[in-house]
């Protein structure tokens, strides 16, 4: 693990915040996320009210549905807490994630709009009081292509610097993908597409953050 004593931590942030470009990206990223999170409840309620397609997912049909909400919740939010600690220590990790996460949210809005899907057969509602707070008054089942849970955790792994820590978060990502299938929350294609789209957006965010 990276050593982070207070003087180096303070110096990193002092250098970052003295950069006019960094401050613009930081404040712009935070502002954009606030706007997006306020738009999400309205957007997801609209998506939930429309009709979509039920996919014939062979792999999903082979897996009996079980409620593994607690395991999913633990994997996601343990990864998020760990990543937050690292992002606070490293301004570059934080800014890359902020830019990439804004791109990720916008991409999901576009992809979910363009690919109307109904919930998989046998879906068991995910109980996640933290994530569900951004969905509005009712549970959302049609925010499918591509998976937001999986892509966000995968993005955290991409943004980390330490190779061992990256691999741990990538392993958590794989576990989450399996658990999402077990609970029939997503189609297989939702989970397969998420890492590829996220990787592309991360590369783009890195270029924006480092210019």
């Amino acid at each position: 693990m990276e050593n982070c004593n207070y003087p180096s931590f303070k110096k990193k942030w002092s250098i970052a915040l003295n950069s006019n470009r960094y401050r613009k990206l930081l404040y712009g990223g935070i502002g954009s996320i606030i706007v997006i999170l306020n738009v999400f409840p309205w957007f997801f309620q609209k998506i939930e009210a429309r009709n979509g397609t039920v996919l014939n997912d062979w792999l999903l049909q082979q897996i009996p549905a079980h409620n593994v909400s607690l395991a999913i919740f633990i994997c996601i939010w343990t990864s998020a807490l760990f990543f937050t600690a690292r992002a606070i220590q490293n301004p570059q990790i934080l800014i890359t994630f902020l830019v990439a996460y804004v791109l990720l949210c916008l991409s999901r809005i576009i992809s979910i709009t363009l690919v109307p899907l109904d919930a998989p057969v046998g879906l068991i509602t995910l109980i996640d009081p933290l994530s569900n707070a951004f969905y509005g008054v009712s549970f959302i089942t049609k925010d499918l292509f591509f998976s937001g849970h999986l892509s966000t955790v995968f993005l955290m792994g991409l943004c980390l610097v330490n190779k061992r820590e990256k691999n741990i978060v990538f392993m958590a990502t794989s576990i989450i993908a399996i658990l999402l299938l077990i609970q029939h929350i997503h189609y297989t294609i939702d989970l397969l597409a998420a890492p590829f789209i996220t990787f592309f957006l991360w590369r783009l965010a890195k270029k924006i953050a480092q210019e």
Side-chain angles (χ1 to χ4, degrees):
M1 289 190 177
E2 297 174 348
N3 291 322
C4 181
N5 53 58
Y6 181 74
S8 63
F9 166 80
K10 184 177 180 180
K11 185 177 180 180
K12 286 178 182 178
W13 275 103
S14 177
I15 293 172
L17 293 176
N18 280 331
S19 166
N20 186 51
R21 176 175 174 76
Y22 188 93
R23 290 198 306 273
K24 286 182 178 179
L25 287 173
L26 179 64
Y27 301 146
I30 293 173
S32 297
I33 288 175
I34 291 173
V35 171
I36 289 169
L37 292 181
N38 278 279
V39 169
F40 266 173
W42 172 85
F43 172 73
F44 287 129
Q45 294 302 319
K46 290 290 184 183
I47 292 301
E48 194 67 15
R50 73 179 180 178
N51 294 321
T53 302
V54 176
L55 297 182
N56 183 18
D57 189 323
W58 179 86
L59 178 59
L60 206 59
Q61 292 170 3
Q62 312 310 307
I63 304 173
H66 294 285
N67 191 340
V68 288
S69 291
L70 180 59
I72 295 172
F73 178 86
I74 291 172
C75 285
I76 290 174
W77 290 103
T78 300
S79 301
L81 287 173
F82 176 76
F83 176 79
T84 299
R86 284 292 179 256
I88 291 173
Q89 294 171 1
N90 189 324
Q92 194 59 44
I93 289 177
L94 177 61
I95 204 65
T96 303
F97 178 81
L98 275 178
V99 174
Y101 188 66
V102 170
L103 296 175
L104 184 65
C105 289
L106 294 175
S107 296
R108 289 195 70 230
I109 289 173
I110 294 171
S111 64
I112 291 170
T113 300
L114 295 178
V115 186
L117 297 174
D118 275 349
V121 175
L123 178 143
I124 299 173
T125 302
L126 175 64
I127 306 301
D128 180 347
L130 297 179
S131 296
N132 290 345
F134 300 108
Y135 286 122
V137 296
S138 63
F139 289 108
I140 302 302
T141 63
K142 298 182 181 180
D143 60 326
L144 295 170
F145 187 80
F146 52 97
S147 170
H149 289 101
L150 195 68
S151 55
T152 301
V153 178
F154 186 65
L155 176 59
M156 293 175 188
L158 290 172
C159 290
L160 289 170
V161 175
N162 183 281
K163 185 175 180 180
R164 181 184 177 188
E165 294 174 356
K166 290 171 77 75
N167 289 336
I168 290 173
V169 176
F170 288 150
M171 186 179 300
T173 306
S174 300
I175 293 171
I176 291 167
I178 294 170
L179 293 173
L180 291 172
L181 284 176
I182 291 174
Q183 194 150 336
H184 287 216
I185 293 170
H186 277 286
Y187 294 106
T188 305
I189 188 63
D190 303 330
L191 304 176
L192 291 176
F196 292 99
I197 297 172
T198 304
F199 181 80
F200 170 77
L201 297 175
W202 169 71
R203 290 290 299 270
L204 179 58
K206 278 186 69 176
K207 290 183 179 180
I208 294 172
Q210 294 176 0
E211 281 182 358

